[in-house]
Amino acid sequence: MKSRSKSDKAGEDSARRTPGNLLRIKQGMEFKLFLIAASISLAGVLVSSFLVLTWQRQQLIDDARETTSHLGNVIEAGLEHAMLRNDRDLINQIIKDQAETHFLSRIQVLDDLGVVQASSDPADIGQTLQDTSPSCQFCQNINLQSQQSSTGFLAQNGGQQVFLNVNLIYNRPECQGCHSPQENLLGLLVVEKPITDLNSELLTAFWRIVT
């Protein structure tokens, strides 16, 4: 079989470089460049969305912390008179009213052993919280010498994310009509706030960014 001449090969190369072929090659390159540019743009949007949502989430958490901390202080002040009178019915009524007014999941007063002494849910009263519960874990890690009055944090409760605010109830002189002066910490006031609204706001913000 005879080898092809240089002129035959040149003819084939020229055929491949017809205007139609060149146009298809150009369109293919343009499409690839478009895909690369679109991928870079999409990555930029996703990264920006992540950063914005992270910042917004932290802002919402800070707002929830401030709100529940204020509520915890207000509720504790409202309970003080009833506690000094050791009026358990009044204590539970105040707690129930506050939970309904502020749309809270639960309010509890625990003693220093983790036993629920008062609650917006009467079924909780008398129960002892497990060591694995968020409130107990918080209590086990606090520094009593800091005299920190309250703190708020995200937690899981029954598979749902909630915001907990925990007020430490210290033994003040006016409390020692019923409690020994040797007791430093009498218990905890736990305010549980659902964060359904927080997650809903984040989802709305995400779709607002990507669209």
Side-chain angles (χ1 to χ4, degrees):
M1 182 180 293
K2 295 182 178 181
S3 61
R4 291 180 298 176
S5 65
K6 292 183 178 180
S7 60
D8 292 336
K9 293 181 180 179
E12 291 177 2
D13 292 340
S14 176
R16 284 195 292 267
R17 291 195 295 269
T18 60
N21 288 337
L22 291 175
L23 179 60
R24 283 193 291 272
I25 293 172
K26 179 182 178 182
Q27 289 175 339
M29 293 180 64
E30 288 177 347
F31 182 69
K32 290 179 181 178
L33 290 173
F34 170 77
L35 288 179
I36 293 172
S39 299
I40 294 173
S41 299
L42 179 60
V45 170
L46 291 176
V47 171
S48 299
S49 299
F50 174 77
L51 294 175
V52 170
L53 289 175
T54 299
W55 177 81
Q56 287 187 336
R57 183 176 187 274
Q58 189 57 51
Q59 288 293 109
L60 291 171
I61 289 174
D62 290 343
D63 290 344
R65 178 180 289 109
E66 183 177 348
T67 299
T68 53
S69 176
H70 175 71
L71 283 174
N73 293 334
V74 169
I75 294 169
E76 183 179 9
L79 289 171
E80 183 175 355
H81 178 66
M83 285 182 172
L84 291 175
R85 292 174 52 190
N86 197 22
D87 189 336
R88 292 180 179 269
D89 290 337
L90 181 57
I91 291 172
N92 283 298
Q93 187 59 51
I94 292 173
I95 287 175
K96 182 175 180 295
D97 291 343
Q98 290 290 333
E100 291 176 353
T101 300
H102 299 290
F103 305 103
L104 302 172
S105 301
R106 183 180 283 107
I107 303 174
Q108 293 177 328
V109 175
L110 285 65
D111 63 18
D112 59 338
L113 299 177
V115 179
V116 180
Q117 297 295 332
S119 174
S120 56
D121 183 355
D124 295 339
I125 298 175
Q127 293 187 8
T128 302
L129 296 190
Q130 300 297 319
D131 292 339
T132 55
S133 72
S135 298
C136 282
Q137 289 178 350
F138 163 77
C139 191
Q140 292 165 5
N141 291 292
I142 59 174
N143 177 8
L144 296 180
Q145 301 305 317
S146 69
Q147 295 292 306
Q148 183 182 14
S149 62
S150 67
T151 191
F153 54 95
L154 289 173
Q156 294 289 334
N157 189 2
Q160 294 184 341
Q161 199 171 34
V162 297
F163 198 90
L164 291 181
N165 188 81
V166 179
N167 280 47
L168 306 181
I169 303 175
Y170 286 101
N171 189 2
R172 301 193 297 253
E174 57 268 30
C175 303
Q176 293 168 12
C178 298
H179 299 278
S180 168
Q182 280 70 44
E183 296 179 85
N184 186 14
L185 182 67
L186 300 180
L188 306 174
L189 170 64
V190 182
V191 176
E192 181 179 309
K193 178 180 176 61
I195 59 170
T196 306
D197 292 342
L198 184 150
N199 291 328
S200 178
E201 288 182 41
L202 286 175
L203 183 61
T204 301
F206 171 77
W207 286 115
R208 188 183 300 120
I209 292 171
V210 299
T211 57

